[in-house]
Amino acid sequence: MLRIEGLTKRYRTGDLALDKVDLEVPGGQVMALIGPSGAGKSTLIRCVNRLVEPSAGRVRLGDTEITGLSRRELRRARRRMGMIFQEFALVERLTVMENVLSGQLGHVGFWRSYLRRFPQPAVDAAYQTLERVGLADQIDKRADALSGGQRQRVGIARALLQQPEILLVDEPTASLDPKTSRQIMRLICELCAERHLAAVINIHDVQLAQLFVQRVVGLRAGQVVFDGPPSGLNPEVLTRIYGEEDWTTAATRRKGTDGGDDDALDEERMAGIV
Amino acid sequence: MPIERRANEILWRRQSPVAQAARFAGWLALAALTVFTFEVMTRNTIWAFFLDAPRQAADLLGRMVPPRWSYIDQLWWPLWETLNIASIGTLLAIGMALPVAFLAARNTTPSVAFVRPLALFVIVSSRSINSLIWALLLVSIIGPGALAGIIAISLRSIGFIAKLMYEAIEEIDANQVEAITATGASGGQVLVYGIWPQILPAFAGVCVFRWDINIRESTVLGLVGAGGIGLNLQASLNVLAWPQVTLIFLVILASVIASEWISARVRHAFI
């Protein structure tokens, strides 16, 4: 499905962000990409849709070799890859609907998009998607009037409107509180399952990743240093990815809970009030 | 060295004694310069005239009031012309300034090495010449009249608008542009969806601000023959018709107040 071979990126400043990365993501698989800041996670997913030009190596999506495409062909290929951003990257002054419909820009001509005359099927799809992510009542609000979690839902809806085959997700929860983070991660993973979408999710919250994904890839200094199931993240592996630290709490914690501890804590706190 | 270590204590001052002395010397030099320049400035002043000034001013004021209200009938058309010079000139300038701004902004220019310096040169050369000077040149090229005024206003405004707009373009959030690009949008669509909404408030503000300035500038263009109410001002001054001059001042004041009010409203609406 997505196949990355020998992907290398050296920035003009001389920093080697990616060093011969080989990676394969089959259709429908949700994969988390973890690693310390500066490990090359963001660069990796941006090299996939060539928002950043790779220095060497190949990226294939299905039968298309992304790295060899002309600008025009690249635009067509980008329609197949939905992207979700850390700071949501919504166009703040446009409405929720306009933001979601902008997922269709690759399919619509310039004047139609300029005049906001999107084809009816696209508008229908936008309504359905907004309903699915729980924003049916916010359609006409401006994006900057929404809360963080709502904005990320708009970002997700925009990516879905492209009818993509794969989602490239860059730190979707980094600007959100823990509860909203879980909701957003759960939503992304549910949607991937519903639509048989593959996803590459950059995430720095290891525990959150462990809760939701099927596969974890650890990146350090531009190289893949771990590739396996979430259960394989033991202290020894975490040290390999992030460096020396006392990992015992992180490694044992995930055995305990799944989604319930927020509610449990709330119950404890509320216990004395009523 | 603000921190000074002594035997048993560490002293901290904002500045070292040397820096403090330098600061004092600097202020002293500034004061001396002020006194000296005042000396130079007033060397050719005839103090008898200066002392006479209040009386002269009172005399002039006495001749200026009351305004000659009936003259207003002859001012409507020049006033309309003035507003048109300002508005059409601003519109033309916007049309020419926007492409220049996109060529000059570091993040949208097609070439930092060639196109950008060219665009910056256009901006600087437009800004370095005052509207009145542009008008003077244009009157001698295309003859007197409103057209010269319109072109003078627009030539001067290109640089102003383009400069403020390219600074706004350089400050946009790159994430939003990236997100639109990632959907497979074309260059034009990225411009319309990713960039334009971000610069729209700045654009509206800059345009009405420049229009507001242009209203004021177009009132004096007539002094060099470039049309508008300035022609009447010059004619009235030439024949020492002070009550007419007063009325023209009042009309200009009213139109400037109106334009400020309008531009404030527009800026408010686009935030």
PDB file of all heavy atoms in Angstrom, chain A residues 78 85 108 167 228:
ATOM      1  N   ARG A  78      -1.782  13.609  -4.432  1.00  0.00           N
ATOM      2  CA  ARG A  78      -2.034  14.129  -3.083  1.00  0.00           C
ATOM      3  C   ARG A  78      -3.491  13.971  -2.671  1.00  0.00           C
ATOM      4  O   ARG A  78      -3.806  13.914  -1.490  1.00  0.00           O
ATOM      5  CB  ARG A  78      -1.660  15.614  -3.021  1.00  0.00           C
ATOM      6  CG  ARG A  78      -0.189  15.856  -2.750  1.00  0.00           C
ATOM      7  CD  ARG A  78       0.119  17.322  -2.779  1.00  0.00           C
ATOM      8  NE  ARG A  78       1.524  17.565  -2.506  1.00  0.00           N
ATOM      9  CZ  ARG A  78       2.163  18.674  -2.844  1.00  0.00           C
ATOM     10  NH1 ARG A  78       1.508  19.639  -3.470  1.00  0.00           N
ATOM     11  NH2 ARG A  78       3.428  18.825  -2.566  1.00  0.00           N
ATOM     12  N   PHE A  85      -3.209  17.751  11.025  1.00  0.00           N
ATOM     13  CA  PHE A  85      -2.070  18.516  11.548  1.00  0.00           C
ATOM     14  C   PHE A  85      -2.136  18.733  13.055  1.00  0.00           C
ATOM     15  O   PHE A  85      -3.202  18.715  13.662  1.00  0.00           O
ATOM     16  CB  PHE A  85      -2.009  19.885  10.873  1.00  0.00           C
ATOM     17  CG  PHE A  85      -1.716  19.820   9.404  1.00  0.00           C
ATOM     18  CD1 PHE A  85      -2.736  19.575   8.497  1.00  0.00           C
ATOM     19  CD2 PHE A  85      -0.431  19.992   8.937  1.00  0.00           C
ATOM     20  CE1 PHE A  85      -2.467  19.511   7.143  1.00  0.00           C
ATOM     21  CE2 PHE A  85      -0.158  19.933   7.586  1.00  0.00           C
ATOM     22  CZ  PHE A  85      -1.187  19.688   6.693  1.00  0.00           C
ATOM     23  N   VAL A 108     -11.870  19.819  -7.898  1.00  0.00           N
ATOM     24  CA  VAL A 108     -12.738  20.880  -8.397  1.00  0.00           C
ATOM     25  C   VAL A 108     -11.879  21.926  -9.108  1.00  0.00           C
ATOM     26  O   VAL A 108     -10.766  22.219  -8.671  1.00  0.00           O
ATOM     27  CB  VAL A 108     -13.509  21.527  -7.218  1.00  0.00           C
ATOM     28  CG1 VAL A 108     -14.391  22.656  -7.694  1.00  0.00           C
ATOM     29  CG2 VAL A 108     -14.340  20.466  -6.523  1.00  0.00           C
ATOM     30  N   LEU A 167      -4.185   8.088   5.640  1.00  0.00           N
ATOM     31  CA  LEU A 167      -4.133   9.338   6.403  1.00  0.00           C
ATOM     32  C   LEU A 167      -2.707   9.552   6.903  1.00  0.00           C
ATOM     33  O   LEU A 167      -2.091   8.632   7.438  1.00  0.00           O
ATOM     34  CB  LEU A 167      -5.086   9.276   7.608  1.00  0.00           C
ATOM     35  CG  LEU A 167      -6.585   9.336   7.350  1.00  0.00           C
ATOM     36  CD1 LEU A 167      -7.341   9.251   8.661  1.00  0.00           C
ATOM     37  CD2 LEU A 167      -6.959  10.604   6.598  1.00  0.00           C
ATOM     38  N   GLY A 228       7.268  -2.904  15.584  1.00  0.00           N
ATOM     39  CA  GLY A 228       6.592  -4.064  16.136  1.00  0.00           C
ATOM     40  C   GLY A 228       5.282  -3.690  16.779  1.00  0.00           C
ATOM     41  O   GLY A 228       4.813  -2.563  16.661  1.00  0.00           O
TER      42      GLY A 228
END
